[in-house]
């Protein structure tokens, strides 16, 4: 499994890349970050705009891909890894 290096900004803020993402439950994903941490992210509170709301349909929520630095869905909705890290709950799980 390839891992993305962490990079530092001038303000010393860590930026994490996404390594793996798997759907865990409706609207929830297991995410592994490039720093090796694994978190569970509940997307449901974020799916409030008209475009994002489409992802409440589980058949559409599962249509995602990892791009170079984001998690992106078929309709163009994406989330920065830093935001997902912030929202996620630390967890121990197998991906």
């Amino acid at each position: 499994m390839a891992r993305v290096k962490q990079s530092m900004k001038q303000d010393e803020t860590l930026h994490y890349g996404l390594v793996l993402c798997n759907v865990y439950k409706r609207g929830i994903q297991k995410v592994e970050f490039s720093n090796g941490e694994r978190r569970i992210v509940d997307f449901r509170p974020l799916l409030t705009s008209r475009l994002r709301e489409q992802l409440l349909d589980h058949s559409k929520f599962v249509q995602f891909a990892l791009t170079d630095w984001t998690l992106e869905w078929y309709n163009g909705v994406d989330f920065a890894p830093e935001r997902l890290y912030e929202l996620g709950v630390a967890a121990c799980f197998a991906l």
Side-chain angles (χ1 to χ4, degrees), residues 25-28 41-48 55-56 61:
K25 294 181 180 178
R26 287 188 177 274
I28 301 172
V41 180
D42 185 351
F43 287 88
R44 293 170 298 180
L46 303 173
L47 305 178
T48 55
L55 302 179
L56 290 171
F61 183 73

Side-chain angles (χ1 to χ4, degrees), residues 22 29 35:
N22 287 328
Q29 289 196 12
N35 67 348

Side-chain angles (χ1 to χ4, degrees), residues 18-68:
L18 298 171
V19 176
L20 289 170
C21 295
N22 287 328
V23 173
Y24 176 56
K25 294 181 180 178
R26 287 188 177 274
I28 301 172
Q29 289 196 12
K30 295 178 179 178
V31 181
E32 182 176 344
F33 294 87
S34 60
N35 67 348
E37 285 191 50
R38 294 176 176 181
R39 293 181 175 251
I40 294 179
V41 180
D42 185 351
F43 287 88
R44 293 170 298 180
L46 303 173
L47 305 178
T48 55
S49 71
R50 177 171 263 174
L51 189 60
R52 290 178 175 183
E53 197 169 66
Q54 298 170 21
L55 302 179
L56 290 171
D57 177 339
H58 187 69
S59 67
K60 294 181 178 174
F61 183 73
V62 299
Q63 296 179 39
F64 67 91
L66 288 176
T67 63
D68 289 337

